Amino acid sequence: MAEKDTPIRMYMDDPTIVWRKGKPDYSKADQLYLQGRTKFHAPDSVEKTVSDFVKTFEMEVRHKLRLEDFHTITPDFKMNVNGGRYFNVQEILARGSYNVFLSNTPLYDADKESNASSDQLFSGAFTEGFGWEVLEVINGPPKLVFTWRHWTRMTGPFRDHQPTGERLELFGSAMANMTTDNRLSCVNLFFDPSTMLTKLQGHCPILNN
């Protein structure tokens, strides 16, 4: 696997950064990405640029504590999922990315989970990491539109449900506004998490309600 294909996450080496739980190690996630990707974007392609930028954004939102350490978003950044309400950056940092991404689904009650508990819940179920790839960039910045794929295996327990080793996938799209200095000001995500959550919970929600 060529070194040039390894995801590049920027803005991680400043020694003054305050990390939530220490500087993150993405070696497992990168290995999963390189082994499981379906697209092989050229190093100078817009897809590769968007992929590295989104992975940097995810790293900052999930692992950095101070807004002054962020380089991928504006101070007034906001995000919504599947047409739900917008969350500002302070809310995202307080609630955690899992609780924001799954805030608009009946199969997961984000209001009952903290940032720490949600991270422990999903990280414990996905011990090999979570692969993510850009499928296609439909429109480039400043009005960015792209499709994406997310995948992993259930290698750890999820609540009372034991690991199955099953492969789980999500497919979605995103629309984002970017500033002239390459910062996100607004992101709208669209995806259906129900298939993944149903498999994690080990039941069919229609039959159990």
Side-chain angles (χ1 to χ4, degrees):
M1 295 174 186
E3 184 177 346
K4 61 180 173 55
D5 293 333
T6 302
I8 298 172
R9 294 173 184 83
M10 301 167 283
Y11 315 122
M12 294 184 67
D13 296 329
D14 186 338
T16 66
I17 293 173
V18 177
W19 299 103
R20 188 177 298 277
K21 294 191 298 183
K23 185 177 179 180
D25 179 2
Y26 280 95
S27 56
K28 287 184 179 180
D30 288 347
Q31 182 179 25
L32 190 65
Y33 163 75
L34 292 170
Q35 293 176 343
R37 59 185 169 154
T38 61
K39 301 294 182 179
F40 296 81
H41 302 302
D44 58 350
S45 66
V46 65
E47 284 82 7
K48 172 65 168 139
T49 299
V50 171
S51 177
D52 287 342
F53 184 87
V54 172
K55 290 175 188 291
T56 300
F57 163 75
E58 181 276 336
M59 173 274 297
E60 291 195 322
V61 168
R62 187 176 175 196
H63 294 288
K64 290 183 178 180
L65 279 177
R66 303 184 306 182
L67 289 180
E68 62 199 78
D69 294 327
F70 280 59
H71 296 271
T72 58
I73 61 174
T74 61
D76 60 348
F77 172 80
K78 61 181 180 179
M79 178 171 67
N80 81 7
V81 179
N82 294 329
R85 79 170 183 88
Y86 279 99
F87 293 89
N88 61 39
V89 64
Q90 290 82 8
E91 291 175 311
I92 296 170
L93 292 180
R95 293 172 66 94
S97 56
Y98 287 117
N99 287 333
V100 172
F101 294 154
L102 300 174
S103 61
N104 197 21
T105 173
L107 297 178
Y108 176 84
D109 192 344
D111 291 332
K112 291 184 178 180
E113 299 290 345
S114 67
N115 189 333
S117 69
S118 64
D119 188 76
Q120 182 178 17
L121 180 65
F122 287 98
S123 295
F126 307 142
T127 60
E128 294 180 347
F130 221 142
W132 187 91
E133 68 175 342
V134 169
L135 297 177
E136 180 185 8
V137 174
I138 299 168
N139 194 73
K143 298 289 186 179
L144 182 62
V145 181
F146 62 93
T147 57
W148 51 266
R149 169 179 169 258
H150 222 349
W151 73 96
T152 188
R153 290 195 312 126
M154 186 184 180
T155 52
F158 186 86
R159 303 195 194 284
D160 296 329
H161 306 289
Q162 295 305 304
T164 62
E166 184 175 4
R167 186 187 184 102
L168 306 175
E169 288 185 300
L170 293 174
F171 293 87
S173 61
M175 298 189 301
N177 295 336
M178 295 192 72
T179 62
T180 55
D181 60 346
N182 294 323
R183 288 176 181 256
L184 295 168
S185 61
C186 180
V187 171
N188 298 275
L189 287 178
F190 303 94
F191 68 99
D192 181 4
S194 59
T195 300
M196 181 192 73
L197 290 172
T198 297
K199 290 180 178 180
L200 283 174
Q201 296 173 43
H203 68 268
C204 174
I206 295 177
L207 297 177
N208 284 271
N209 285 335

